Amino acid sequence: MPNLFWAALLLLCSLMSPAAWAAEPEVVGGIDVLIRTIFEPIANAIVPIVFGKIPGTEILWIVMWLAIASVTCTIYFRFIQFRLFGLAIQALRGRFSRKTDQGEVSHFQALSTALAATVGLGNIAGVAVAISIGGPGATFWMIMLGLFGMATKFAECTLGVKYRQINADGSVSGGPMYYLKAGLAERGFPQFGKFLGAAAALILAFAAFGIGNLFQVNQATSQLMNQFQITDGAYLFGIGFGVVCALVIIGGIKSIARVTSVLVPFMVVIYLAAGLLILGLNLDKLPAAFGAIISGAFTPEAGFGGFIGALMQGLKRGAFSNEAGFGSAPIAHAAVKTDEPSTEGLVALLEPFIDTVVICTMTALVIIVTGAYLQQGMAGAVMTSNAFNSVLPGFDVVLTISIVLFAFSTMLSWSYYGLKGWTYLFGEKTALLYKLVFCAISVIAAAMSLDAVIDLSDALVFILAFFNVLGLYFLLPIVRAEINGFLHKLKTGEIKPNRD
């Protein structure tokens, strides 16, 4: 372990040294070519399969896989996201937890950590991409899929807590690798569970570098340099991201949760406040905007653009919106302090509601009422920025800062997700190595495109979603037993809401 630590530290220092970056273009170009040579053939082989279309249609099969899972979970749990929404709010407030319960963070901190991974570029750029493809009707499909996805999130996060592992030092390890292995063994499929668990861990450990680091740092750096017209020195932003990220993640989930529980609410409030102000100044246009969303949702154009655009274009190139069914969020929710797994499942179902139904809808309405989507040659973050700026001049600076904060918070959460996949495979003693390498990678990410690595990471996460949802179908009866047991205890008075 000491040798691994010093090797990782040497890598971090070498990447950050002035000598290494004396000739930035040469250094970046050489590494970029090397990484592209390694990963591009793999990405070219996997990506077309993962994002392939159902024969005879324009629908991506993986999108349908996730959509069907969300509908199935909604029906199986009898529309739990609507029936028990109020109970979910109570659980978020900690009404059913005790200070003596096992775990590391509060319900609010667990939700904030999970939201930190999902609220991000997808809410800003992904929504604009979906609308540019499918028109205003795309918003309707985003809302629908967000609402149905709440049930999927409930199921996987309940399992995340039920099958979590409490380590000797009191820390928690949980996620799809744990509940797929243990849950499927309980259902009589031990070998199948071992395979899915190991596959989930391996994917998380690798994909975190692309989704949670390379893409986030690169896009945030590009936004900063474009906004403030900076022409060189991208690696300096990478160093900044790496150092600040290290200061937080070295402290583990408690440190990450403390930061995200402040950062996420702050970001969301600022963003929603600006959105509400714009909508307030355009109240006369709201009826027409809602009309365009409803009528556009059922046209052939919106059916393709909304369903595929909102799900694929928005999720794939942003932060995958709410990540319902991906198996990532259960890692954060597993760390919660509770002895009732289903209470955290209830808290988790609020995540897609906040991320997709509230924030994505706000972005869409601002784009529609300002008419930004009608202007030619704009898409993604540029369209969203123009929409806000047209009513609130100078807001593009605030939006740039928001993108940076969103990217940073996503880095924090995904570093933890990747770490848990890594330690599942290689043990807790190697945790520091992973953290240091994760931070070091951000230095080169700022100045490189690394499209092949990011595309491969995207594809791998959707493969994880396939495995995770497949396992969920076998484990749904266990989730139902958990929620029914909790509701019975609540009804009989065995569990009473506290006032802590």
Side-chain angles (χ1 to χ4, degrees):
M1 178 58 193
N3 291 334
L4 290 175
F5 169 77
W6 289 112
L9 187 61
L10 179 62
L11 171 64
L12 184 64
C13 292
S14 64
L15 284 172
M16 292 183 176
S17 66
W21 293 95
E24 181 188 342
E26 290 78 7
V27 173
V28 172
I31 298 176
D32 204 351
V33 170
L34 174 62
I35 293 178
R36 190 185 305 118
T37 301
I38 295 172
F39 290 103
E40 199 168 70
I42 304 174
N44 290 340
I46 295 177
V47 171
I49 298 174
V50 176
F51 300 122
K53 298 174 183 178
I54 297 174
T57 75
E58 292 295 324
I59 298 175
L60 305 188
W61 72 268
I62 191 66
V63 173
M64 285 304 299
W65 177 254
L66 291 169
I68 291 171
S70 67
V71 174
T72 300
C73 288
T74 295
I75 295 173
Y76 189 83
F77 295 113
R78 297 186 298 119
F79 295 85
I80 191 171
Q81 62 267 56
F82 306 114
R83 288 192 300 114
L84 301 183
F85 191 88
L87 201 62
I89 299 297
Q90 291 187 55
L92 176 62
R93 295 171 56 194
R95 297 293 303 280
F96 308 113
S97 301
R98 300 291 186 272
K99 293 178 180 178
T100 55
D101 289 349
Q102 290 184 311
E104 297 186 81
V105 298
S106 68
H107 288 287
F108 179 76
Q109 289 176 322
L111 179 64
S112 295
T113 301
L115 277 172
T118 60
V119 176
L121 293 172
N123 303 90
I124 296 173
V127 173
V129 171
I131 292 176
S132 67
I133 294 175
T139 308
F140 175 85
W141 295 113
M142 280 192 289
I143 295 172
M144 289 298 102
L145 289 163
L147 289 173
F148 281 101
M150 293 168 71
T152 310
K153 189 77 76 169
F154 160 77
E156 60 183 348
C157 291
T158 296
L159 292 168
V161 177
K162 179 174 176 59
Y163 292 106
R164 66 185 177 178
Q165 176 180 298
I166 306 297
N167 303 317
D169 60 357
S171 62
V172 176
S173 294
M177 47 279 190
Y178 291 93
Y179 63 71
L180 289 173
K181 179 182 178 181
L184 287 171
E186 188 176 315
R187 295 281 289 165
F189 305 98
Q191 296 306 315
F192 185 42
K194 286 181 180 179
F195 167 73
L196 290 185
L202 186 62
I203 290 171
L204 283 164
F206 176 81
F209 286 103
I211 296 166
N213 191 323
L214 298 176
F215 178 66
Q216 303 300 327
V217 174
N218 188 271
Q219 293 299 300
T221 299
S222 297
Q223 186 73 17
L224 280 169
M225 295 183 74
N226 290 335
Q227 179 64 47
F228 299 107
Q229 299 181 346
I230 301 172
T231 57
D232 54 27
Y235 73 94
L236 293 174
F237 290 105
I239 292 175
F241 273 106
V243 170
V244 177
C245 184
L247 291 175
V248 178
I249 70 173
I250 296 298
I253 185 60
K254 291 183 179 179
S255 177
I256 294 173
R258 280 195 296 269
V259 173
T260 56
S261 63
V262 173
L263 195 59
V264 171
F266 172 75
M267 294 187 302
V268 170
V269 168
I270 293 296
Y271 191 74
L272 290 182
L276 287 172
L277 178 58
I278 291 175
L279 296 182
L281 295 173
N282 290 272
L283 279 176
D284 58 319
K285 298 179 181 178
L286 276 179
F290 281 112
I293 290 172
I294 300 300
S295 62
F298 301 99
T299 64
E301 177 191 13
F304 169 75
F307 198 67
I308 302 302
L311 253 273
M312 278 312 310
Q313 302 299 329
L315 303 182
K316 182 174 178 291
R317 191 40 54 209
F320 304 107
S321 188
N322 53 60
E323 294 181 8
F326 283 72
S328 51
I331 300 174
H333 288 284
V336 73
K337 291 181 179 180
T338 186
D339 289 338
E340 290 290 337
S342 60
T343 60
E344 189 58 21
L346 291 173
V347 170
L349 66 76
L350 297 173
E351 191 182 324
F353 181 80
I354 296 170
D355 176 271
T356 306
V357 179
V358 176
I359 301 178
C360 286
T361 301
M362 179 67 69
T363 301
L365 285 173
V366 169
I367 289 173
I368 295 169
V369 300
T370 58
Y373 74 100
L374 298 173
Q375 299 183 33
Q376 299 296 319
M378 287 196 305
V382 175
M383 179 187 291
T384 305
S385 178
N386 185 74
F388 277 88
N389 230 35
S390 65
V391 180
L392 302 175
F395 190 78
D396 54 334
V397 176
V398 178
L399 195 63
T400 296
I401 295 173
S402 297
I403 288 174
V404 172
L405 292 178
F406 284 152
F408 177 64
S409 65
T410 300
M411 282 183 69
L412 298 182
S413 294
W414 267 97
S415 71
Y416 182 69
Y417 296 168
L419 172 67
K420 287 305 174 182
W422 175 268
T423 55
Y424 177 88
L425 296 170
F426 303 107
E428 294 291 336
K429 292 183 178 180
T430 62
L432 186 57
L433 168 66
Y434 187 89
K435 292 177 182 178
L436 289 173
V437 172
F438 186 90
C439 295
I441 291 298
S442 67
V443 180
I444 60 174
M448 300 163 63
S449 60
L450 298 175
D451 289 339
V453 178
I454 295 172
D455 288 344
L456 179 59
S457 297
D458 288 355
L460 287 175
V461 171
F462 277 95
I463 293 175
L464 171 60
F466 174 78
F467 288 153
N468 184 58
V469 168
L470 182 61
L472 282 181
Y473 284 126
F474 288 89
L475 302 178
L476 290 182
I478 295 175
V479 179
R480 183 163 60 184
E482 281 293 329
I483 185 62
N484 288 344
F486 169 69
L487 293 176
H488 177 72
K489 292 176 184 177
L490 201 60
K491 184 178 180 180
T492 59
E494 185 177 343
I495 293 180
K496 295 180 180 180
N498 63 57
R499 298 183 182 279
D500 293 347

PDB file of all heavy atoms in Angstrom, residues 198-214:
ATOM      1  N   ALA A 198     -19.818  -7.999  -9.908  1.00  0.00           N
ATOM      2  CA  ALA A 198     -18.456  -7.696 -10.347  1.00  0.00           C
ATOM      3  C   ALA A 198     -18.467  -6.784 -11.575  1.00  0.00           C
ATOM      4  O   ALA A 198     -17.654  -5.854 -11.681  1.00  0.00           O
ATOM      5  CB  ALA A 198     -17.707  -8.996 -10.658  1.00  0.00           C
ATOM      6  N   ALA A 199     -19.395  -7.033 -12.498  1.00  0.00           N
ATOM      7  CA  ALA A 199     -19.500  -6.201 -13.704  1.00  0.00           C
ATOM      8  C   ALA A 199     -19.870  -4.766 -13.323  1.00  0.00           C
ATOM      9  O   ALA A 199     -19.301  -3.806 -13.863  1.00  0.00           O
ATOM     10  CB  ALA A 199     -20.546  -6.786 -14.657  1.00  0.00           C
ATOM     11  N   ALA A 200     -20.808  -4.612 -12.390  1.00  0.00           N
ATOM     12  CA  ALA A 200     -21.223  -3.275 -11.949  1.00  0.00           C
ATOM     13  C   ALA A 200     -20.057  -2.529 -11.318  1.00  0.00           C
ATOM     14  O   ALA A 200     -19.837  -1.341 -11.589  1.00  0.00           O
ATOM     15  CB  ALA A 200     -22.376  -3.393 -10.951  1.00  0.00           C
ATOM     16  N   ALA A 201     -19.293  -3.214 -10.480  1.00  0.00           N
ATOM     17  CA  ALA A 201     -18.155  -2.575  -9.809  1.00  0.00           C
ATOM     18  C   ALA A 201     -17.097  -2.136 -10.806  1.00  0.00           C
ATOM     19  O   ALA A 201     -16.554  -1.016 -10.719  1.00  0.00           O
ATOM     20  CB  ALA A 201     -17.555  -3.546  -8.791  1.00  0.00           C
ATOM     21  N   LEU A 202     -16.795  -2.997 -11.765  1.00  0.00           N
ATOM     22  CA  LEU A 202     -15.773  -2.681 -12.765  1.00  0.00           C
ATOM     23  C   LEU A 202     -16.196  -1.487 -13.615  1.00  0.00           C
ATOM     24  O   LEU A 202     -15.394  -0.583 -13.889  1.00  0.00           O
ATOM     25  CB  LEU A 202     -15.540  -3.905 -13.652  1.00  0.00           C
ATOM     26  CG  LEU A 202     -14.405  -3.802 -14.679  1.00  0.00           C
ATOM     27  CD1 LEU A 202     -13.071  -3.617 -13.976  1.00  0.00           C
ATOM     28  CD2 LEU A 202     -14.369  -5.050 -15.561  1.00  0.00           C
ATOM     29  N   ILE A 203     -17.450  -1.470 -14.031  1.00  0.00           N
ATOM     30  CA  ILE A 203     -17.958  -0.365 -14.846  1.00  0.00           C
ATOM     31  C   ILE A 203     -17.913   0.943 -14.072  1.00  0.00           C
ATOM     32  O   ILE A 203     -17.479   1.977 -14.593  1.00  0.00           O
ATOM     33  CB  ILE A 203     -19.391  -0.664 -15.320  1.00  0.00           C
ATOM     34  CG1 ILE A 203     -19.371  -1.793 -16.362  1.00  0.00           C
ATOM     35  CG2 ILE A 203     -20.044   0.586 -15.915  1.00  0.00           C
ATOM     36  CD1 ILE A 203     -20.747  -2.305 -16.738  1.00  0.00           C
ATOM     37  N   LEU A 204     -18.359   0.919 -12.828  1.00  0.00           N
ATOM     38  CA  LEU A 204     -18.357   2.138 -12.012  1.00  0.00           C
ATOM     39  C   LEU A 204     -16.944   2.679 -11.821  1.00  0.00           C
ATOM     40  O   LEU A 204     -16.713   3.889 -11.926  1.00  0.00           O
ATOM     41  CB  LEU A 204     -18.996   1.856 -10.652  1.00  0.00           C
ATOM     42  CG  LEU A 204     -20.517   1.772 -10.624  1.00  0.00           C
ATOM     43  CD1 LEU A 204     -21.001   1.111  -9.343  1.00  0.00           C
ATOM     44  CD2 LEU A 204     -21.135   3.156 -10.775  1.00  0.00           C
ATOM     45  N   ALA A 205     -16.002   1.795 -11.532  1.00  0.00           N
ATOM     46  CA  ALA A 205     -14.623   2.215 -11.279  1.00  0.00           C
ATOM     47  C   ALA A 205     -14.020   2.919 -12.486  1.00  0.00           C
ATOM     48  O   ALA A 205     -13.297   3.919 -12.348  1.00  0.00           O
ATOM     49  CB  ALA A 205     -13.769   1.013 -10.883  1.00  0.00           C
ATOM     50  N   PHE A 206     -14.329   2.417 -13.689  1.00  0.00           N
ATOM     51  CA  PHE A 206     -13.775   3.024 -14.897  1.00  0.00           C
ATOM     52  C   PHE A 206     -14.593   4.220 -15.373  1.00  0.00           C
ATOM     53  O   PHE A 206     -14.046   5.282 -15.679  1.00  0.00           O
ATOM     54  CB  PHE A 206     -13.682   1.988 -16.022  1.00  0.00           C
ATOM     55  CG  PHE A 206     -13.210   2.572 -17.331  1.00  0.00           C
ATOM     56  CD1 PHE A 206     -11.862   2.792 -17.561  1.00  0.00           C
ATOM     57  CD2 PHE A 206     -14.118   2.945 -18.316  1.00  0.00           C
ATOM     58  CE1 PHE A 206     -11.426   3.357 -18.758  1.00  0.00           C
ATOM     59  CE2 PHE A 206     -13.695   3.505 -19.513  1.00  0.00           C
ATOM     60  CZ  PHE A 206     -12.333   3.707 -19.731  1.00  0.00           C
ATOM     61  N   ALA A 207     -15.921   4.044 -15.435  1.00  0.00           N
ATOM     62  CA  ALA A 207     -16.785   5.080 -16.021  1.00  0.00           C
ATOM     63  C   ALA A 207     -16.742   6.377 -15.232  1.00  0.00           C
ATOM     64  O   ALA A 207     -16.960   7.454 -15.796  1.00  0.00           O
ATOM     65  CB  ALA A 207     -18.220   4.576 -16.104  1.00  0.00           C
ATOM     66  N   ALA A 208     -16.450   6.301 -13.945  1.00  0.00           N
ATOM     67  CA  ALA A 208     -16.388   7.519 -13.118  1.00  0.00           C
ATOM     68  C   ALA A 208     -15.362   8.505 -13.659  1.00  0.00           C
ATOM     69  O   ALA A 208     -15.540   9.724 -13.536  1.00  0.00           O
ATOM     70  CB  ALA A 208     -16.058   7.150 -11.671  1.00  0.00           C
ATOM     71  N   PHE A 209     -14.298   8.000 -14.261  1.00  0.00           N
ATOM     72  CA  PHE A 209     -13.269   8.887 -14.807  1.00  0.00           C
ATOM     73  C   PHE A 209     -13.800   9.687 -15.992  1.00  0.00           C
ATOM     74  O   PHE A 209     -13.447  10.853 -16.171  1.00  0.00           O
ATOM     75  CB  PHE A 209     -12.044   8.076 -15.236  1.00  0.00           C
ATOM     76  CG  PHE A 209     -11.217   7.567 -14.100  1.00  0.00           C
ATOM     77  CD1 PHE A 209     -11.294   6.247 -13.717  1.00  0.00           C
ATOM     78  CD2 PHE A 209     -10.375   8.408 -13.400  1.00  0.00           C
ATOM     79  CE1 PHE A 209     -10.542   5.758 -12.658  1.00  0.00           C
ATOM     80  CE2 PHE A 209      -9.619   7.950 -12.336  1.00  0.00           C
ATOM     81  CZ  PHE A 209      -9.703   6.615 -11.960  1.00  0.00           C
ATOM     82  N   GLY A 210     -14.646   9.061 -16.814  1.00  0.00           N
ATOM     83  CA  GLY A 210     -15.181   9.765 -17.976  1.00  0.00           C
ATOM     84  C   GLY A 210     -16.333  10.672 -17.630  1.00  0.00           C
ATOM     85  O   GLY A 210     -16.309  11.875 -17.899  1.00  0.00           O
ATOM     86  N   ILE A 211     -17.367  10.099 -16.997  1.00  0.00           N
ATOM     87  CA  ILE A 211     -18.588  10.844 -16.689  1.00  0.00           C
ATOM     88  C   ILE A 211     -18.366  11.867 -15.584  1.00  0.00           C
ATOM     89  O   ILE A 211     -18.810  13.005 -15.665  1.00  0.00           O
ATOM     90  CB  ILE A 211     -19.700   9.869 -16.266  1.00  0.00           C
ATOM     91  CG1 ILE A 211     -20.044   8.954 -17.422  1.00  0.00           C
ATOM     92  CG2 ILE A 211     -20.949  10.617 -15.795  1.00  0.00           C
ATOM     93  CD1 ILE A 211     -20.861   7.770 -16.993  1.00  0.00           C
ATOM     94  N   GLY A 212     -17.678  11.422 -14.531  1.00  0.00           N
ATOM     95  CA  GLY A 212     -17.553  12.268 -13.345  1.00  0.00           C
ATOM     96  C   GLY A 212     -16.319  13.126 -13.298  1.00  0.00           C
ATOM     97  O   GLY A 212     -16.141  13.904 -12.355  1.00  0.00           O
ATOM     98  N   ASN A 213     -15.458  13.009 -14.313  1.00  0.00           N
ATOM     99  CA  ASN A 213     -14.217  13.780 -14.259  1.00  0.00           C
ATOM    100  C   ASN A 213     -13.891  14.414 -15.604  1.00  0.00           C
ATOM    101  O   ASN A 213     -13.991  15.634 -15.761  1.00  0.00           O
ATOM    102  CB  ASN A 213     -13.069  12.870 -13.802  1.00  0.00           C
ATOM    103  CG  ASN A 213     -11.807  13.636 -13.454  1.00  0.00           C
ATOM    104  OD1 ASN A 213     -11.474  14.617 -14.094  1.00  0.00           O
ATOM    105  ND2 ASN A 213     -11.098  13.186 -12.437  1.00  0.00           N
ATOM    106  N   LEU A 214     -13.518  13.591 -16.594  1.00  0.00           N
ATOM    107  CA  LEU A 214     -13.069  14.131 -17.879  1.00  0.00           C
ATOM    108  C   LEU A 214     -14.093  15.066 -18.511  1.00  0.00           C
ATOM    109  O   LEU A 214     -13.763  16.187 -18.902  1.00  0.00           O
ATOM    110  CB  LEU A 214     -12.757  12.974 -18.837  1.00  0.00           C
ATOM    111  CG  LEU A 214     -11.642  12.015 -18.411  1.00  0.00           C
ATOM    112  CD1 LEU A 214     -11.522  10.872 -19.408  1.00  0.00           C
ATOM    113  CD2 LEU A 214     -10.323  12.750 -18.287  1.00  0.00           C
TER     114      LEU A 214
END
